[in-house]
Amino acid sequence: MEFILIFTIIYGIVPFILYLIVKKKNRDLHLILPFLIVVFLASVYELIGTVILKISVEYWYLVYKTLAFIGLHYFYYYLLDRKYKLLFLVYIIGFIILIILSQTVWINYIYLEKSAYFNMFQTLIVLTFSILWFKQLFSKLEEESLSKNPNFYFVSGLIVCYCGTVFLFLVSSSIYAYDKSNFHYYWLLNILLNFVLRSLLIIGVWKARVK
């Protein structure tokens, strides 16, 4: 279990490193760059802060959720050719409200409960903008094969990771309260889906290289 966790954390450094290697060959990668940086920073912090120094994740979760929100918004905003500005604004306002609630009304909630709300909200963002992107993609009919489109791998990775973990986050606080000793077995799903996301990010960056 610990080996899988550490491997997945270190694995998260790879997408950004690969980006630095191939960025001169494809400028389109700027869309996913902020999110790659977020994954890179998260991996470094989790390795040093969580695994080595044993610092509580509670001090990191809100920073991570905020950075991930910015990375996701940047990616989808430019992926959708800067359309749907009102919808993006609504989600920004919604996220700010979530932050305020987490520091006021939910101040006494454990971080797993607060994190679940953020994860559910970000899953909604991913689903909304992914559907709009697929709709835009098929309406233009410019792609011969989705397998050649780097953004297809980025979007697929986000859908799999966020949709796959949303239920886990919603029930994680209850699992932790009633089955704390076995919680890490349940959390393995989150680790595995993050591995899938990072793998698809790597594939997408590599595909951009040969575009």
Side-chain angles (χ1 to χ4, degrees):
M1 175 68 180
E2 186 175 356
F3 170 78
I4 297 174
L5 172 62
I6 294 174
F7 177 80
T8 304
I9 290 173
I10 296 175
Y11 192 54
I13 297 173
V14 178
F16 179 64
I17 299 300
L18 183 60
Y19 164 82
L20 294 177
I21 296 172
V22 307
K23 65 178 181 179
K24 292 183 179 179
K25 298 182 180 180
N26 195 304
R27 294 183 179 180
D28 291 344
L29 282 173
H30 78 88
L31 277 70
I32 198 65
L33 175 58
F35 191 77
L36 294 181
I37 293 175
V38 172
V39 174
F40 175 82
L41 292 176
S43 298
V44 172
Y45 177 85
E46 288 169 9
L47 181 62
I48 298 174
T50 306
V51 176
I52 298 176
L53 300 179
K54 307 296 183 182
I55 300 174
S56 174
V57 181
E58 189 169 359
Y59 298 108
W60 161 249
Y61 93 91
L62 185 56
V63 175
Y64 172 71
K65 295 298 182 183
T66 302
L67 292 176
F69 174 80
I70 294 171
L72 288 173
H73 249 54
Y74 182 91
F75 172 67
Y76 281 110
Y77 183 66
Y78 285 99
L79 184 66
L80 292 167
D81 301 321
R82 293 183 288 183
K83 299 177 182 177
Y84 312 106
K85 292 182 179 180
L86 180 59
L87 186 55
F88 278 99
L89 180 60
V90 168
Y91 278 125
I92 290 172
I93 294 172
F95 189 79
I96 293 172
I97 292 173
L98 270 182
I99 292 177
I100 294 172
L101 289 173
S102 71
Q103 300 303 304
T104 53
V105 178
W106 303 333
I107 190 67
N108 294 320
Y109 288 17
I110 63 173
Y111 86 89
L112 284 174
E113 292 177 303
K114 291 186 283 188
S115 184
Y117 295 125
F118 281 99
N119 194 72
M120 185 167 56
F121 186 75
Q122 290 177 322
T123 300
L124 181 61
I125 291 172
V126 168
L127 281 176
T128 300
F129 293 131
S130 294
I131 290 172
L132 289 173
W133 180 69
F134 277 115
K135 179 182 177 182
Q136 174 179 287
L137 196 66
F138 290 123
S139 65
K140 291 182 178 179
L141 296 176
E142 295 177 349
E143 295 290 334
E144 295 181 4
S145 173
L146 285 177
S147 63
K148 296 179 181 179
N149 188 333
N151 292 319
F152 170 71
Y153 296 95
F154 301 147
V155 171
S156 298
L158 291 171
I159 291 174
V160 169
C161 186
Y162 278 92
C163 292
T165 58
V166 64
F167 181 74
L168 174 64
F169 274 92
L170 287 174
V171 300
S172 59
S173 59
S174 298
I175 295 173
Y176 188 79
Y178 294 104
D179 197 10
K180 185 177 180 180
S181 60
N182 292 315
F183 181 74
H184 58 282
Y185 291 113
Y186 297 99
W187 203 246
L188 183 61
L189 174 62
N190 180 51
I191 297 172
L192 292 177
L193 288 175
N194 269 279
F195 176 81
V196 172
L197 169 61
R198 294 168 188 198
S199 297
L200 288 171
L201 289 176
I202 291 171
I203 295 172
V205 172
W206 185 256
K207 286 286 184 178
R209 179 190 67 86
V210 294
K211 185 175 180 182

